[in-house]
Amino acid sequence: MRQVPRHISRTRSLSVPAVAVQETSTLLTGFLIAIAAVSLFLLSQHRFRATRWAADTFRRPIRKNLFKDCSYYCELVSQPEQMPRVLGIAMRTAITKRGVAVVVIPGDVALGECSAPALSLGIEDSAPVIRPSDNELRRAAEILNSAANITILGGAGCEGAHDELIVVAERLKSPIVHALRGKEFIEYDNPYDIGMTGLLGFASGYHAMMNCHALLMLGTDFPYQHFYPRNAKIIQVDRLGEQIGRRTPVDLGLIGNVKDTLNALTPMLEETTDRSYLDLCLGHYKNARKGLDDLAVGEPGRTPIHPQYVAKILDELAAEDAVFTCDVGTPTIWAARYLTMNGKRRLLGSFTHGSMANALPQAIGAQAAYPGRQVISLSGDGGLAMLLGDILTLKQLNLPVKLVVFNNSTLGFVELEMKAAGLIDYGTNLVNPNFAKLAESADILGVRVERPEDLRPALKRAIAHNGPALVEVIVSRQELSMPPTISAEQALGFSLYMIRAVINGRGDEVIDLAKTNFFR
């Protein structure tokens, strides 16, 4: 069995079936990222025979339990004749559930001859029509037709349903709020878009949710309960019945695909002529968007650089079909707020598991799957430091990934959380190397940017380079990313942080924070 690199593709996001084959000894540093990146994961343990599987030996075989929480299917093949059947089940599971299936193969089995014939999958693709009954749809229409202010909340389940979504919003005169995983499928060519909600979102999205009379949830498992309205009628559409009502109580749950459900629901909806609530929300979004854009400035000579400015310039320079990946933490915030989706671009991240150091391996997988597309990784310095070895992977595989490193010498999002809790940050400081020089040592183009006026030329150079490139940008450590609403507990916590910082002789941090965020 020929071994291939563990970073194959982000199939669940890029919609391309893929297989990864990995040997046990290389698994432990990155198998969760790899498992999140492929549909079928074949784990080869060539040092072990099936008869020694239970032995406690060097490089002990990986147990199936290790994979159960990270996959829809996991099975051990103990005889070569089992392979066609187990592999068929795994492939059908990966295709129909659009997730990961794992097959574990001992070394002697992987090298053995299989006398059983190959089996047909019986399916080429999985795109069934799934929608609620007519009675359920009529109940949904009654709720929506009787409500004055309606807001739509869309998530990743809106993939492929953009046109249907716009038609419904037009008929109901509803603002559309999106969750992070729905950003790339919803915000483009959308005159009803008012941005995100949640911790990374905009004030406009928050207020549209909280002030509506009816909320229509489409293909989203948005997890933050305190961002849901308290007095609105809520309808939730999801193809997975177990998702219905698990984040907030709903008045009506509809099991179905978003596209099929909206196609069947639209004829039952009455045309609304009153745009007052929609126009109010759009005006709020315009102000919120301007406020965010005003933060993305780069004044020549003023250092360190604002990270918002980095994301904004990158958005302007990237190709119209670029694939972006972003590390968990502050790079996700800047990607969510400043990268523009257009129906061709993609945005990948660890948006469900929240695993650090995801951006570079996801970029490697995406570039391997799509050699002709521009792939850009927005990496944090902490995340990149955890997987520095994958810089060598870029060179080894000659993948032209463009790696943009936000170097603020800290675990920035953790530090923000500690401040909001009233704690003086501890253990978040990073003593970073010169990442650009590290890249150059691997014969990769490395550029270090410390001044705003040097940023655009550096990014242009990296993007035009025929091969992998790393641009290290020294950004502000004290940059705040304000959520759309601040609780009393957060305000109190931040006040306590400032008092404790001064008492502990770290008043210069408070001054630096004020300069960075309030005196631009």
Side-chain angles (χ1 to χ4, degrees):
M1 184 175 291
R2 183 173 177 265
Q3 185 174 341
V4 298
R6 73 172 183 270
H7 314 285
I8 304 300
S9 79
R10 176 76 171 173
T11 48
R12 190 171 184 183
S13 293
L14 293 177
S15 303
V16 177
V19 178
V21 182
Q22 185 164 337
E23 195 275 325
T24 310
S25 63
T26 62
L27 179 69
L28 299 179
T29 60
F31 84 89
L32 282 177
I33 296 297
I35 262 197
V38 299
S39 287
L40 182 60
F41 190 75
L42 302 180
L43 176 60
S44 172
Q45 299 193 298
H46 68 265
R47 292 178 177 83
F48 297 96
R49 296 179 178 274
T51 54
R52 297 179 56 195
W53 201 254
D56 191 2
T57 58
F58 174 63
R59 286 181 176 168
R60 181 180 179 177
I62 300 295
R63 305 297 185 190
K64 288 193 334 182
N65 291 344
L66 190 61
F67 297 92
K68 282 187 176 179
D69 289 339
C70 304
S71 61
Y72 286 112
Y73 177 82
C74 180
E75 192 54 75
L76 166 68
V77 175
S78 56
Q79 297 292 333
E81 289 73 20
Q82 293 177 304
M83 189 62 179
R85 183 169 180 270
V86 171
L87 187 61
I89 295 172
M91 293 177 70
R92 283 187 288 269
T93 301
I95 293 171
T96 57
K97 293 195 173 183
R98 302 190 66 196
V100 178
V102 179
V103 178
V104 184
I105 312 171
D108 56 338
V109 175
L111 297 175
E113 293 290 334
C114 179
S115 58
L119 299 178
S120 170
L121 287 182
I123 56 173
E124 294 183 1
D125 196 3
S126 178
V129 175
I130 305 174
R131 73 169 185 87
S133 68
D134 288 344
N135 286 336
E136 291 174 303
L137 291 171
R138 278 191 285 268
R139 288 178 58 197
E142 289 173 3
I143 294 174
L144 296 173
N145 290 334
S146 63
N149 300 339
I150 303 171
T151 295
I152 297 173
L153 172 64
C158 291
E159 181 181 5
H162 185 271
D163 292 344
E164 292 77 9
L165 176 64
I166 300 301
V167 168
V168 169
E170 166 60 26
R171 182 158 294 196
L172 298 175
K173 301 300 184 289
S174 299
I176 301 176
V177 181
H178 60 264
L180 177 56
R181 291 182 60 223
K183 173 181 171 71
E184 57 181 331
F185 309 120
I186 294 174
E187 76 172 10
Y188 71 94
D189 295 339
N190 185 349
Y192 307 97
D193 175 50
I194 58 167
M196 286 175 50
T197 187
L199 295 175
L200 310 183
F202 306 169
S204 54
Y206 172 79
H207 289 295
M209 292 267 291
M210 301 306 288
N211 295 320
C212 68
H213 299 152
L215 176 66
L216 177 58
M217 297 172 59
L218 300 175
T220 179
D221 191 36
F222 179 70
Y224 302 108
Q225 296 182 12
H226 55 289
F227 286 91
Y228 282 99
R230 296 171 179 82
N231 300 312
K233 293 279 189 179
I234 299 180
I235 301 171
Q236 183 177 0
V237 178
D238 204 293
R239 65 184 180 87
L240 302 176
E242 63 268 26
Q243 307 277 64
I244 302 293
R246 80 168 185 164
R247 303 303 187 182
T248 188
V250 300
D251 296 276
L252 179 61
L254 302 176
I255 299 176
N257 294 327
V258 173
K259 183 182 180 74
D260 302 328
T261 301
L262 292 185
N263 274 330
L265 176 63
T266 300
M268 303 181 186
L269 299 177
E270 297 174 359
E271 182 80 31
T272 302
T273 58
D274 184 3
R275 289 181 52 97
S276 58
Y277 183 63
L278 172 61
D279 290 337
L280 177 66
C281 293
L282 290 173
H284 199 174
Y285 172 63
K286 182 178 179 181
N287 292 333
R289 183 69 263 175
K290 182 180 184 303
L292 290 174
D293 291 340
D294 288 345
L295 298 175
V297 295
E299 183 180 337
R302 185 167 182 175
T303 59
I305 300 171
H306 292 298
Q308 300 97 318
Y309 182 64
V310 180
K312 176 186 175 183
I313 299 302
L314 190 58
D315 179 61
E316 293 175 2
L317 298 178
E320 65 174 8
D321 64 343
V323 177
F324 297 97
T325 67
C326 56
D327 263 335
V328 165
T330 52
T332 294
I333 299 176
W334 315 135
R337 293 182 175 181
Y338 294 98
L339 295 183
T340 304
M341 297 294 106
N342 58 8
K344 298 178 182 178
R345 289 178 169 180
R346 303 304 309 269
L347 177 61
L348 314 182
S350 185
F351 300 145
T352 299
H353 291 291
S355 303
M356 280 189 66
N358 61 284
L360 178 53
Q362 285 178 326
I364 290 173
Q367 191 71 86
Y370 289 89
R373 290 181 73 169
Q374 184 184 89
V375 178
I376 301 174
S377 169
L378 283 69
S379 294
D381 47 359
L384 179 61
M386 293 173 67
L387 284 182
L388 272 178
D390 276 336
I391 292 181
L392 301 180
T393 304
L394 289 177
K395 185 63 180 178
Q396 181 73 26
L397 301 180
N398 194 31
L399 296 173
V401 171
K402 312 308 176 187
L403 182 59
V404 180
V405 185
F406 291 74
N407 184 350
N408 60 1
S409 298
T410 183
L411 297 173
F413 200 80
V414 176
E415 200 167 88
L416 284 174
E417 291 176 317
M418 295 180 74
K419 286 182 172 71
L423 302 174
I424 297 176
D425 50 273
Y426 175 80
T428 58
N429 187 60
L430 298 176
V431 182
N432 285 328
N434 186 313
F435 290 107
K437 288 186 177 179
L438 278 177
E440 290 177 347
S441 71
D443 198 24
I444 292 174
L445 175 64
V447 183
R448 184 178 172 98
V449 179
E450 299 182 2
R451 300 181 303 174
E453 58 267 33
D454 297 332
L455 178 63
R456 187 181 292 269
L459 290 176
K460 281 185 175 181
R461 180 185 174 193
I463 290 173
H465 179 66
N466 184 23
L470 183 151
V471 178
E472 176 185 10
V473 187
I474 308 304
V475 298
S476 172
R477 176 172 183 159
Q478 300 292 352
E479 200 75 42
L480 294 179
S481 55
M482 303 298 287
T485 183
I486 300 175
S487 67
E489 292 81 6
Q490 289 172 323
L492 175 61
F494 202 80
S495 299
L496 288 174
Y497 153 74
M498 290 191 289
I499 294 171
R500 289 168 177 165
V502 172
I503 292 175
N504 284 272
R506 294 170 60 175
D508 56 329
E509 291 185 10
V510 177
I511 295 173
D512 187 32
L513 186 148
K515 288 181 178 179
T516 299
N517 295 278
F518 306 115
F519 301 103
R520 292 181 181 243

